[in-house]
Short mmCIF file of all heavy atoms in Angstrom, two decimals:
data_model
loop_
_atom_site.label_atom_id
_atom_site.label_comp_id
_atom_site.label_asym_id
_atom_site.label_seq_id
_atom_site.Cartn_x
_atom_site.Cartn_y
_atom_site.Cartn_z
N PHE A 190 9.67 123.84 31.71
CA PHE A 190 10.47 124.32 32.84
C PHE A 190 11.58 125.18 32.29
O PHE A 190 12.36 124.75 31.43
CB PHE A 190 11.07 123.17 33.65
CG PHE A 190 11.99 123.65 34.74
CD1 PHE A 190 11.48 124.10 35.95
CD2 PHE A 190 13.37 123.67 34.56
CE1 PHE A 190 12.32 124.57 36.96
CE2 PHE A 190 14.23 124.13 35.56
CZ PHE A 190 13.69 124.58 36.76
N ALA A 195 21.89 126.39 36.10
CA ALA A 195 21.83 125.03 36.65
C ALA A 195 22.59 124.91 37.97
O ALA A 195 23.53 124.12 38.10
CB ALA A 195 22.35 124.03 35.63
N ARG A 224 9.02 120.16 28.30
CA ARG A 224 10.25 120.75 27.77
C ARG A 224 11.04 121.31 28.95
O ARG A 224 10.45 121.81 29.91
CB ARG A 224 9.93 121.88 26.79
CG ARG A 224 9.45 121.40 25.44
CD ARG A 224 9.26 122.57 24.51
NE ARG A 224 9.09 122.14 23.14
CZ ARG A 224 8.99 122.96 22.10
NH1 ARG A 224 9.08 124.27 22.29
NH2 ARG A 224 8.83 122.49 20.88
N TYR A 225 12.36 121.27 28.84
CA TYR A 225 13.20 121.61 30.00
C TYR A 225 14.45 122.33 29.52
O TYR A 225 15.16 121.84 28.64
CB TYR A 225 13.58 120.31 30.71
CG TYR A 225 14.21 120.47 32.07
CD1 TYR A 225 13.48 120.22 33.22
CD2 TYR A 225 15.55 120.83 32.21
CE1 TYR A 225 14.06 120.34 34.49
CE2 TYR A 225 16.13 120.96 33.46
CZ TYR A 225 15.38 120.71 34.59
OH TYR A 225 15.95 120.82 35.84
N THR A 226 14.75 123.50 30.13
CA THR A 226 15.96 124.21 29.75
C THR A 226 16.40 125.16 30.85
O THR A 226 15.65 125.44 31.80
CB THR A 226 15.75 125.01 28.45
OG1 THR A 226 17.02 125.38 27.90
CG2 THR A 226 14.94 126.29 28.70
N TYR A 227 17.64 125.65 30.72
CA TYR A 227 18.17 126.71 31.59
C TYR A 227 18.45 127.92 30.72
O TYR A 227 19.06 127.81 29.65
CB TYR A 227 19.44 126.25 32.30
CG TYR A 227 19.22 125.05 33.18
CD1 TYR A 227 19.68 123.78 32.79
CD2 TYR A 227 18.53 125.16 34.38
CE1 TYR A 227 19.46 122.67 33.59
CE2 TYR A 227 18.29 124.05 35.18
CZ TYR A 227 18.76 122.80 34.78
OH TYR A 227 18.52 121.70 35.56
N LEU A 228 18.01 129.09 31.18
CA LEU A 228 18.11 130.31 30.40
C LEU A 228 19.51 130.91 30.42
O LEU A 228 19.89 131.66 29.53
CB LEU A 228 17.10 131.34 30.91
CG LEU A 228 15.63 130.92 30.84
CD1 LEU A 228 14.75 131.94 31.55
CD2 LEU A 228 15.19 130.74 29.39
N GLY A 229 20.27 130.63 31.47
CA GLY A 229 21.62 131.16 31.57
C GLY A 229 21.72 132.44 32.37
O GLY A 229 22.80 133.02 32.50
N GLN A 240 11.67 133.34 23.61
CA GLN A 240 11.81 131.90 23.77
C GLN A 240 10.55 131.28 24.37
O GLN A 240 10.08 130.23 23.91
CB GLN A 240 13.02 131.59 24.65
CG GLN A 240 13.35 130.11 24.76
CD GLN A 240 14.66 129.86 25.49
OE1 GLN A 240 15.38 130.80 25.84
NE2 GLN A 240 14.99 128.60 25.73
N TRP A 244 7.75 128.52 22.80
CA TRP A 244 7.28 127.30 23.46
C TRP A 244 5.75 127.26 23.50
O TRP A 244 5.14 126.24 23.22
CB TRP A 244 7.84 127.21 24.88
CG TRP A 244 9.25 126.73 24.96
CD1 TRP A 244 10.21 126.79 23.99
CD2 TRP A 244 9.87 126.12 26.10
NE1 TRP A 244 11.39 126.27 24.45
CE2 TRP A 244 11.21 125.84 25.74
CE3 TRP A 244 9.44 125.80 27.37
CZ2 TRP A 244 12.11 125.24 26.63
CZ3 TRP A 244 10.33 125.20 28.26
CH2 TRP A 244 11.65 124.92 27.88
N GLU A 371 23.31 116.57 36.70
CA GLU A 371 22.79 117.81 36.13
C GLU A 371 22.00 117.64 34.83
O GLU A 371 21.50 118.62 34.29
CB GLU A 371 23.94 118.78 35.88
CG GLU A 371 24.67 119.23 37.13
CD GLU A 371 25.75 120.25 36.83
OE1 GLU A 371 25.84 120.70 35.67
OE2 GLU A 371 26.50 120.61 37.75
N LYS A 372 21.88 116.42 34.32
CA LYS A 372 21.24 116.25 33.01
C LYS A 372 19.82 115.72 33.16
O LYS A 372 19.61 114.55 33.50
CB LYS A 372 22.07 115.32 32.13
CG LYS A 372 23.39 115.93 31.70
CD LYS A 372 24.08 115.08 30.65
CE LYS A 372 25.35 115.77 30.14
NZ LYS A 372 26.02 114.96 29.09
N ALA A 373 18.86 116.58 32.86
CA ALA A 373 17.45 116.17 32.95
C ALA A 373 17.13 115.08 31.94
O ALA A 373 16.22 114.27 32.17
CB ALA A 373 16.56 117.39 32.72
N SER A 374 17.87 115.04 30.84
CA SER A 374 17.62 114.05 29.80
C SER A 374 17.87 112.63 30.28
O SER A 374 17.39 111.66 29.67
CB SER A 374 18.49 114.33 28.57
OG SER A 374 19.86 114.30 28.92
N GLU A 384 11.86 116.58 27.04
CA GLU A 384 12.72 117.10 25.99
C GLU A 384 13.64 118.13 26.62
O GLU A 384 13.24 119.26 26.90
CB GLU A 384 11.89 117.75 24.87
CG GLU A 384 12.75 118.32 23.75
CD GLU A 384 11.95 119.14 22.75
OE1 GLU A 384 10.72 119.25 22.91
OE2 GLU A 384 12.57 119.68 21.81
N ALA A 385 14.88 117.72 26.88
CA ALA A 385 15.85 118.62 27.51
C ALA A 385 16.57 119.40 26.41
O ALA A 385 17.19 118.82 25.52
CB ALA A 385 16.84 117.83 28.34
N ILE A 386 16.49 120.71 26.49
CA ILE A 386 17.03 121.59 25.44
C ILE A 386 18.29 122.28 25.94
O ILE A 386 18.30 122.87 27.02
CB ILE A 386 15.97 122.63 25.03
CG1 ILE A 386 14.73 121.92 24.48
CG2 ILE A 386 16.53 123.61 24.00
CD1 ILE A 386 13.55 122.84 24.27
N GLY A 387 19.36 122.20 25.15
CA GLY A 387 20.58 122.93 25.47
C GLY A 387 21.55 122.21 26.38
O GLY A 387 22.51 122.80 26.84
N GLU A 388 21.33 120.93 26.64
CA GLU A 388 22.28 120.19 27.49
C GLU A 388 23.55 119.87 26.73
O GLU A 388 23.52 119.62 25.54
CB GLU A 388 21.64 118.90 28.00
CG GLU A 388 20.60 119.13 29.08
CD GLU A 388 20.16 117.83 29.74
OE1 GLU A 388 20.53 116.75 29.23
OE2 GLU A 388 19.47 117.89 30.75
#
Side-chain angles (χ1 to χ4, degrees):
F190 175 80
R224 285 185 168 185
Y225 191 104
T226 197
Y227 299 106
L228 299 172
Q240 186 172 355
W244 280 24
E371 296 183 7
K372 291 189 175 182
S374 59
E384 179 188 359
I386 299 170
E388 286 191 350

